[in-house]
PDB file of all heavy atoms in Angstrom:
ATOM      1  N   ASP A   1       0.830  -1.202   0.000  1.00 94.00           N
ATOM      2  CA  ASP A   1       0.000   0.000   0.000  1.00 94.00           C
ATOM      3  C   ASP A   1       0.867   1.255   0.000  1.00 94.00           C
ATOM      4  O   ASP A   1       0.514   2.261  -0.629  1.00 94.00           O
ATOM      5  CB  ASP A   1      -0.921  -0.007   1.216  1.00 94.00           C
ATOM      6  CG  ASP A   1      -1.981   1.090   1.144  1.00 94.00           C
ATOM      7  OD1 ASP A   1      -2.759   1.099   0.161  1.00 94.00           O
ATOM      8  OD2 ASP A   1      -2.025   1.948   2.057  1.00 94.00           O
ATOM      9  N   ALA A   2       1.999   1.226   0.705  1.00 94.00           N
ATOM     10  CA  ALA A   2       2.924   2.366   0.662  1.00 94.00           C
ATOM     11  C   ALA A   2       3.474   2.553  -0.746  1.00 94.00           C
ATOM     12  O   ALA A   2       3.644   3.687  -1.222  1.00 94.00           O
ATOM     13  CB  ALA A   2       4.063   2.150   1.662  1.00 94.00           C
ATOM     14  N   HIS A   3       3.776   1.451  -1.416  1.00 95.00           N
ATOM     15  CA  HIS A   3       4.227   1.522  -2.807  1.00 95.00           C
ATOM     16  C   HIS A   3       3.138   2.146  -3.684  1.00 95.00           C
ATOM     17  O   HIS A   3       3.418   3.006  -4.532  1.00 95.00           O
ATOM     18  CB  HIS A   3       4.569   0.118  -3.296  1.00 95.00           C
ATOM     19  CG  HIS A   3       5.080   0.065  -4.698  1.00 95.00           C
ATOM     20  ND1 HIS A   3       6.416  -0.032  -5.011  1.00 95.00           N
ATOM     21  CD2 HIS A   3       4.432   0.099  -5.893  1.00 95.00           C
ATOM     22  CE1 HIS A   3       6.574  -0.050  -6.320  1.00 95.00           C
ATOM     23  NE2 HIS A   3       5.381   0.025  -6.878  1.00 95.00           N
ATOM     24  N   HIS A   4       1.899   1.723  -3.468  1.00 95.00           N
ATOM     25  CA  HIS A   4       0.781   2.244  -4.254  1.00 95.00           C
ATOM     26  C   HIS A   4       0.573   3.734  -3.978  1.00 95.00           C
ATOM     27  O   HIS A   4       0.344   4.528  -4.902  1.00 95.00           O
ATOM     28  CB  HIS A   4      -0.484   1.450  -3.918  1.00 95.00           C
ATOM     29  CG  HIS A   4      -1.715   1.978  -4.573  1.00 95.00           C
ATOM     30  ND1 HIS A   4      -2.831   2.360  -3.862  1.00 95.00           N
ATOM     31  CD2 HIS A   4      -2.014   2.214  -5.870  1.00 95.00           C
ATOM     32  CE1 HIS A   4      -3.760   2.796  -4.691  1.00 95.00           C
ATOM     33  NE2 HIS A   4      -3.291   2.720  -5.911  1.00 95.00           N
ATOM     34  N   ALA A   5       0.646   4.135  -2.703  1.00 94.00           N
ATOM     35  CA  ALA A   5       0.491   5.546  -2.364  1.00 94.00           C
ATOM     36  C   ALA A   5       1.592   6.385  -2.998  1.00 94.00           C
ATOM     37  O   ALA A   5       1.355   7.508  -3.466  1.00 94.00           O
ATOM     38  CB  ALA A   5       0.479   5.718  -0.845  1.00 94.00           C
ATOM     39  N   ALA A   6       2.815   5.853  -3.032  1.00 94.00           N
ATOM     40  CA  ALA A   6       3.912   6.572  -3.670  1.00 94.00           C
ATOM     41  C   ALA A   6       3.682   6.697  -5.173  1.00 94.00           C
ATOM     42  O   ALA A   6       4.019   7.727  -5.778  1.00 94.00           O
ATOM     43  CB  ALA A   6       5.234   5.863  -3.389  1.00 94.00           C
ATOM     44  N   ALA A   7       3.103   5.668  -5.788  1.00 95.00           N
ATOM     45  CA  ALA A   7       2.796   5.747  -7.216  1.00 95.00           C
ATOM     46  C   ALA A   7       1.764   6.840  -7.484  1.00 95.00           C
ATOM     47  O   ALA A   7       1.863   7.576  -8.471  1.00 95.00           O
ATOM     48  CB  ALA A   7       2.294   4.391  -7.714  1.00 95.00           C
ATOM     49  N   ARG A   8       0.777   6.951  -6.616  1.00 94.00           N
ATOM     50  CA  ARG A   8      -0.224   7.999  -6.783  1.00 94.00           C
ATOM     51  C   ARG A   8       0.393   9.385  -6.589  1.00 94.00           C
ATOM     52  O   ARG A   8       0.057  10.332  -7.320  1.00 94.00           O
ATOM     53  CB  ARG A   8      -1.373   7.770  -5.803  1.00 94.00           C
ATOM     54  CG  ARG A   8      -2.208   6.543  -6.136  1.00 94.00           C
ATOM     55  CD  ARG A   8      -3.142   6.136  -5.020  1.00 94.00           C
ATOM     56  NE  ARG A   8      -4.130   7.163  -4.729  1.00 94.00           N
ATOM     57  CZ  ARG A   8      -5.183   6.964  -3.927  1.00 94.00           C
ATOM     58  NH1 ARG A   8      -5.357   5.783  -3.360  1.00 94.00           N
ATOM     59  NH2 ARG A   8      -6.025   7.920  -3.705  1.00 94.00           N
ATOM     60  N   ARG A   9       1.277   9.528  -5.603  1.00 94.00           N
ATOM     61  CA  ARG A   9       1.942  10.819  -5.414  1.00 94.00           C
ATOM     62  C   ARG A   9       2.816  11.164  -6.618  1.00 94.00           C
ATOM     63  O   ARG A   9       2.883  12.332  -7.036  1.00 94.00           O
ATOM     64  CB  ARG A   9       2.800  10.788  -4.150  1.00 94.00           C
ATOM     65  CG  ARG A   9       2.006  10.873  -2.860  1.00 94.00           C
ATOM     66  CD  ARG A   9       2.921  11.186  -1.691  1.00 94.00           C
ATOM     67  NE  ARG A   9       3.969  10.189  -1.544  1.00 94.00           N
ATOM     68  CZ  ARG A   9       3.845   9.074  -0.841  1.00 94.00           C
ATOM     69  NH1 ARG A   9       2.699   8.802  -0.230  1.00 94.00           N
ATOM     70  NH2 ARG A   9       4.842   8.230  -0.738  1.00 94.00           N
ATOM     71  N   LEU A  10       3.497  10.156  -7.155  1.00 95.00           N
ATOM     72  CA  LEU A  10       4.337  10.405  -8.323  1.00 95.00           C
ATOM     73  C   LEU A  10       3.492  10.862  -9.500  1.00 95.00           C
ATOM     74  O   LEU A  10       3.862  11.807 -10.210  1.00 95.00           O
ATOM     75  CB  LEU A  10       5.118   9.137  -8.664  1.00 95.00           C
ATOM     76  CG  LEU A  10       6.189   9.249  -9.748  1.00 95.00           C
ATOM     77  CD1 LEU A  10       7.342   8.289  -9.452  1.00 95.00           C
ATOM     78  CD2 LEU A  10       5.624   8.951 -11.138  1.00 95.00           C
ATOM     79  N   LEU A  11       2.367  10.218  -9.717  1.00 95.00           N
ATOM     80  CA  LEU A  11       1.495  10.610 -10.829  1.00 95.00           C
ATOM     81  C   LEU A  11       0.996  12.038 -10.647  1.00 95.00           C
ATOM     82  O   LEU A  11       0.979  12.829 -11.599  1.00 95.00           O
ATOM     83  CB  LEU A  11       0.315   9.639 -10.930  1.00 95.00           C
ATOM     84  CG  LEU A  11      -0.760   9.995 -11.957  1.00 95.00           C
ATOM     85  CD1 LEU A  11      -0.171   9.997 -13.369  1.00 95.00           C
ATOM     86  CD2 LEU A  11      -1.928   9.009 -11.869  1.00 95.00           C
ATOM     87  N   ALA A  12       0.592  12.392  -9.426  1.00 94.00           N
ATOM     88  CA  ALA A  12       0.093  13.744  -9.181  1.00 94.00           C
ATOM     89  C   ALA A  12       1.196  14.783  -9.391  1.00 94.00           C
ATOM     90  O   ALA A  12       0.975  15.823 -10.027  1.00 94.00           O
ATOM     91  CB  ALA A  12      -0.471  13.839  -7.764  1.00 94.00           C
ATOM     92  N   ALA A  13       2.407  14.513  -8.858  1.00 94.00           N
ATOM     93  CA  ALA A  13       3.498  15.472  -9.009  1.00 94.00           C
ATOM     94  C   ALA A  13       3.928  15.588 -10.472  1.00 94.00           C
ATOM     95  O   ALA A  13       4.237  16.685 -10.956  1.00 94.00           O
ATOM     96  CB  ALA A  13       4.682  15.051  -8.136  1.00 94.00           C
ATOM     97  N   TRP A  14       3.960  14.457 -11.159  1.00 94.00           N
ATOM     98  CA  TRP A  14       4.319  14.464 -12.574  1.00 94.00           C
ATOM     99  C   TRP A  14       3.302  15.272 -13.380  1.00 94.00           C
ATOM    100  O   TRP A  14       3.675  16.093 -14.240  1.00 94.00           O
ATOM    101  CB  TRP A  14       4.397  13.041 -13.096  1.00 94.00           C
ATOM    102  CG  TRP A  14       4.734  12.902 -14.552  1.00 94.00           C
ATOM    103  CD1 TRP A  14       3.863  12.855 -15.599  1.00 94.00           C
ATOM    104  CD2 TRP A  14       6.043  12.802 -15.123  1.00 94.00           C
ATOM    105  NE1 TRP A  14       4.538  12.724 -16.783  1.00 94.00           N
ATOM    106  CE2 TRP A  14       5.886  12.682 -16.530  1.00 94.00           C
ATOM    107  CE3 TRP A  14       7.321  12.784 -14.590  1.00 94.00           C
ATOM    108  CZ2 TRP A  14       6.948  12.564 -17.395  1.00 94.00           C
ATOM    109  CZ3 TRP A  14       8.403  12.660 -15.455  1.00 94.00           C
ATOM    110  CH2 TRP A  14       8.208  12.551 -16.841  1.00 94.00           C
ATOM    111  N   SER A  15       2.031  15.092 -13.105  1.00 93.00           N
ATOM    112  CA  SER A  15       0.990  15.815 -13.837  1.00 93.00           C
ATOM    113  C   SER A  15       1.035  17.305 -13.522  1.00 93.00           C
ATOM    114  O   SER A  15       0.834  18.140 -14.417  1.00 93.00           O
ATOM    115  CB  SER A  15      -0.381  15.233 -13.499  1.00 93.00           C
ATOM    116  OG  SER A  15      -0.454  13.862 -13.841  1.00 93.00           O
ATOM    117  N   ASP A  16       1.298  17.649 -12.265  1.00 93.00           N
ATOM    118  CA  ASP A  16       1.426  19.074 -11.922  1.00 93.00           C
ATOM    119  C   ASP A  16       2.562  19.727 -12.709  1.00 93.00           C
ATOM    120  O   ASP A  16       2.428  20.851 -13.217  1.00 93.00           O
ATOM    121  CB  ASP A  16       1.676  19.230 -10.423  1.00 93.00           C
ATOM    122  CG  ASP A  16       0.445  18.900  -9.594  1.00 93.00           C
ATOM    123  OD1 ASP A  16      -0.679  18.896 -10.165  1.00 93.00           O
ATOM    124  OD2 ASP A  16       0.587  18.654  -8.388  1.00 93.00           O
ATOM    125  N   TRP A  17       3.679  19.017 -12.804  1.00 93.00           N
ATOM    126  CA  TRP A  17       4.802  19.578 -13.559  1.00 93.00           C
ATOM    127  C   TRP A  17       4.476  19.669 -15.041  1.00 93.00           C
ATOM    128  O   TRP A  17       4.842  20.646 -15.701  1.00 93.00           O
ATOM    129  CB  TRP A  17       6.051  18.727 -13.346  1.00 93.00           C
ATOM    130  CG  TRP A  17       7.219  19.258 -14.098  1.00 93.00           C
ATOM    131  CD1 TRP A  17       8.037  20.294 -13.741  1.00 93.00           C
ATOM    132  CD2 TRP A  17       7.700  18.801 -15.372  1.00 93.00           C
ATOM    133  NE1 TRP A  17       8.994  20.499 -14.702  1.00 93.00           N
ATOM    134  CE2 TRP A  17       8.814  19.608 -15.707  1.00 93.00           C
ATOM    135  CE3 TRP A  17       7.301  17.791 -16.241  1.00 93.00           C
ATOM    136  CZ2 TRP A  17       9.526  19.423 -16.889  1.00 93.00           C
ATOM    137  CZ3 TRP A  17       8.007  17.604 -17.418  1.00 93.00           C
ATOM    138  CH2 TRP A  17       9.106  18.417 -17.731  1.00 93.00           C
ATOM    139  N   GLN A  18       3.794  18.686 -15.574  1.00 92.00           N
ATOM    140  CA  GLN A  18       3.425  18.730 -16.993  1.00 92.00           C
ATOM    141  C   GLN A  18       2.494  19.908 -17.272  1.00 92.00           C
ATOM    142  O   GLN A  18       2.639  20.599 -18.289  1.00 92.00           O
ATOM    143  CB  GLN A  18       2.744  17.414 -17.402  1.00 92.00           C
ATOM    144  CG  GLN A  18       3.681  16.223 -17.486  1.00 92.00           C
ATOM    145  CD  GLN A  18       4.478  16.196 -18.787  1.00 92.00           C
ATOM    146  OE1 GLN A  18       4.638  17.222 -19.446  1.00 92.00           O
ATOM    147  NE2 GLN A  18       4.985  15.046 -19.155  1.00 92.00           N
ATOM    148  N   ARG A  19       1.530  20.136 -16.365  1.00 92.00           N
ATOM    149  CA  ARG A  19       0.641  21.272 -16.571  1.00 92.00           C
ATOM    150  C   ARG A  19       1.417  22.589 -16.525  1.00 92.00           C
ATOM    151  O   ARG A  19       1.159  23.509 -17.317  1.00 92.00           O
ATOM    152  CB  ARG A  19      -0.468  21.261 -15.517  1.00 92.00           C
ATOM    153  CG  ARG A  19      -1.619  20.322 -15.854  1.00 92.00           C
ATOM    154  CD  ARG A  19      -2.741  20.443 -14.862  1.00 92.00           C
ATOM    155  NE  ARG A  19      -2.403  19.791 -13.600  1.00 92.00           N
ATOM    156  CZ  ARG A  19      -2.739  18.530 -13.311  1.00 92.00           C
ATOM    157  NH1 ARG A  19      -3.403  17.803 -14.191  1.00 92.00           N
ATOM    158  NH2 ARG A  19      -2.409  18.002 -12.148  1.00 92.00           N
ATOM    159  N   ALA A  20       2.344  22.700 -15.574  1.00 93.00           N
ATOM    160  CA  ALA A  20       3.154  23.915 -15.490  1.00 93.00           C
ATOM    161  C   ALA A  20       4.030  24.077 -16.724  1.00 93.00           C
ATOM    162  O   ALA A  20       4.238  25.200 -17.219  1.00 93.00           O
ATOM    163  CB  ALA A  20       4.012  23.877 -14.222  1.00 93.00           C
ATOM    164  N   ARG A  21       4.531  22.969 -17.240  1.00 92.00           N
ATOM    165  CA  ARG A  21       5.402  23.061 -18.408  1.00 92.00           C
ATOM    166  C   ARG A  21       4.622  23.499 -19.647  1.00 92.00           C
ATOM    167  O   ARG A  21       5.089  24.382 -20.394  1.00 92.00           O
ATOM    168  CB  ARG A  21       6.081  21.717 -18.683  1.00 92.00           C
ATOM    169  CG  ARG A  21       7.017  21.780 -19.872  1.00 92.00           C
ATOM    170  CD  ARG A  21       7.799  20.504 -20.077  1.00 92.00           C
ATOM    171  NE  ARG A  21       6.987  19.417 -20.589  1.00 92.00           N
ATOM    172  CZ  ARG A  21       7.495  18.335 -21.182  1.00 92.00           C
ATOM    173  NH1 ARG A  21       8.801  18.199 -21.307  1.00 92.00           N
ATOM    174  NH2 ARG A  21       6.706  17.377 -21.598  1.00 92.00           N
ATOM    175  N   VAL A  22       3.461  22.917 -19.892  1.00 92.00           N
ATOM    176  CA  VAL A  22       2.710  23.303 -21.089  1.00 92.00           C
ATOM    177  C   VAL A  22       2.234  24.750 -20.982  1.00 92.00           C
ATOM    178  O   VAL A  22       2.143  25.456 -21.999  1.00 92.00           O
ATOM    179  CB  VAL A  22       1.523  22.347 -21.331  1.00 92.00           C
ATOM    180  CG1 VAL A  22       2.006  20.936 -21.560  1.00 92.00           C
ATOM    181  CG2 VAL A  22       0.515  22.398 -20.211  1.00 92.00           C
ATOM    182  N   GLU A  23       1.966  25.214 -19.755  1.00 92.00           N
ATOM    183  CA  GLU A  23       1.593  26.619 -19.611  1.00 92.00           C
ATOM    184  C   GLU A  23       2.770  27.525 -19.958  1.00 92.00           C
ATOM    185  O   GLU A  23       2.620  28.543 -20.655  1.00 92.00           O
ATOM    186  CB  GLU A  23       1.120  26.908 -18.190  1.00 92.00           C
ATOM    187  CG  GLU A  23       0.666  28.347 -17.995  1.00 92.00           C
ATOM    188  CD  GLU A  23       0.117  28.613 -16.620  1.00 92.00           C
ATOM    189  OE1 GLU A  23       0.163  27.686 -15.772  1.00 92.00           O
ATOM    190  OE2 GLU A  23      -0.353  29.745 -16.376  1.00 92.00           O
ATOM    191  N   ARG A  24       3.965  27.149 -19.495  1.00 92.00           N
ATOM    192  CA  ARG A  24       5.140  27.947 -19.840  1.00 92.00           C
ATOM    193  C   ARG A  24       5.400  27.926 -21.339  1.00 92.00           C
ATOM    194  O   ARG A  24       5.700  28.966 -21.953  1.00 92.00           O
ATOM    195  CB  ARG A  24       6.350  27.411 -19.070  1.00 92.00           C
ATOM    196  CG  ARG A  24       7.569  28.341 -19.095  1.00 92.00           C
ATOM    197  CD  ARG A  24       8.516  27.983 -20.222  1.00 92.00           C
ATOM    198  NE  ARG A  24       8.909  26.584 -20.154  1.00 92.00           N
ATOM    199  CZ  ARG A  24       9.450  25.918 -21.169  1.00 92.00           C
ATOM    200  NH1 ARG A  24       9.642  26.525 -22.344  1.00 92.00           N
ATOM    201  NH2 ARG A  24       9.771  24.648 -21.042  1.00 92.00           N
ATOM    202  N   GLU A  25       5.266  26.766 -21.969  1.00 90.00           N
ATOM    203  CA  GLU A  25       5.462  26.671 -23.402  1.00 90.00           C
ATOM    204  C   GLU A  25       4.438  27.519 -24.153  1.00 90.00           C
ATOM    205  O   GLU A  25       4.770  28.202 -25.131  1.00 90.00           O
ATOM    206  CB  GLU A  25       5.372  25.213 -23.849  1.00 90.00           C
ATOM    207  CG  GLU A  25       6.510  24.334 -23.340  1.00 90.00           C
ATOM    208  CD  GLU A  25       6.287  22.877 -23.668  1.00 90.00           C
ATOM    209  OE1 GLU A  25       5.272  22.564 -24.324  1.00 90.00           O
ATOM    210  OE2 GLU A  25       7.122  22.039 -23.290  1.00 90.00           O
ATOM    211  N   GLN A  26       3.180  27.464 -23.682  1.00 89.00           N
ATOM    212  CA  GLN A  26       2.136  28.233 -24.355  1.00 89.00           C
ATOM    213  C   GLN A  26       2.367  29.729 -24.196  1.00 89.00           C
ATOM    214  O   GLN A  26       2.174  30.512 -25.142  1.00 89.00           O
ATOM    215  CB  GLN A  26       0.771  27.843 -23.795  1.00 89.00           C
ATOM    216  CG  GLN A  26      -0.385  28.133 -24.734  1.00 89.00           C
ATOM    217  CD  GLN A  26      -0.311  27.293 -25.999  1.00 89.00           C
ATOM    218  OE1 GLN A  26       0.013  26.110 -25.948  1.00 89.00           O
ATOM    219  NE2 GLN A  26      -0.600  27.910 -27.138  1.00 89.00           N
ATOM    220  N   MET A  27       2.800  30.136 -23.013  1.00 90.00           N
ATOM    221  CA  MET A  27       3.090  31.559 -22.811  1.00 90.00           C
ATOM    222  C   MET A  27       4.287  31.996 -23.651  1.00 90.00           C
ATOM    223  O   MET A  27       4.329  33.127 -24.131  1.00 90.00           O
ATOM    224  CB  MET A  27       3.348  31.815 -21.337  1.00 90.00           C
ATOM    225  CG  MET A  27       2.125  31.658 -20.433  1.00 90.00           C
ATOM    226  SD  MET A  27       0.732  32.721 -20.904  1.00 90.00           S
ATOM    227  CE  MET A  27      -0.350  31.519 -21.737  1.00 90.00           C
ATOM    228  N   GLN A  28       5.257  31.105 -23.832  1.00 90.00           N
ATOM    229  CA  GLN A  28       6.389  31.434 -24.692  1.00 90.00           C
ATOM    230  C   GLN A  28       5.930  31.621 -26.136  1.00 90.00           C
ATOM    231  O   GLN A  28       6.375  32.549 -26.828  1.00 90.00           O
ATOM    232  CB  GLN A  28       7.437  30.322 -24.616  1.00 90.00           C
ATOM    233  CG  GLN A  28       8.705  30.605 -25.419  1.00 90.00           C
ATOM    234  CD  GLN A  28       9.455  31.814 -24.895  1.00 90.00           C
ATOM    235  OE1 GLN A  28       9.895  31.838 -23.744  1.00 90.00           O
ATOM    236  NE2 GLN A  28       9.613  32.840 -25.735  1.00 90.00           N
ATOM    237  N   GLN A  29       5.035  30.767 -26.593  1.00 88.00           N
ATOM    238  CA  GLN A  29       4.490  30.936 -27.936  1.00 88.00           C
ATOM    239  C   GLN A  29       3.727  32.246 -28.057  1.00 88.00           C
ATOM    240  O   GLN A  29       3.809  32.942 -29.081  1.00 88.00           O
ATOM    241  CB  GLN A  29       3.571  29.759 -28.273  1.00 88.00           C
ATOM    242  CG  GLN A  29       4.286  28.437 -28.460  1.00 88.00           C
ATOM    243  CD  GLN A  29       3.342  27.321 -28.856  1.00 88.00           C
ATOM    244  OE1 GLN A  29       2.225  27.575 -29.286  1.00 88.00           O
ATOM    245  NE2 GLN A  29       3.794  26.084 -28.713  1.00 88.00           N
TER     246      GLN A  29
END
């Protein structure tokens, strides 16, 4: 369950960074 919780945290953090990255890319455009 700790492994599973870490996978969920990784997915959330990864998605947050992806959203921030596409916003930066879009603002650069």
Side-chain angles (χ1 to χ4, degrees):
D1 190 58
H3 182 100
H4 175 237
R8 291 167 63 170
R9 285 194 302 272
L10 188 148
L11 174 62
W14 179 270
S15 300
D16 289 341
W17 180 80
Q18 288 280 21
R19 278 186 285 266
R21 181 174 73 161
V22 298
E23 182 176 4
R24 193 266 305 163
E25 293 173 2
Q26 203 65 41
M27 292 303 103
Q28 183 64 61
Q29 291 183 17

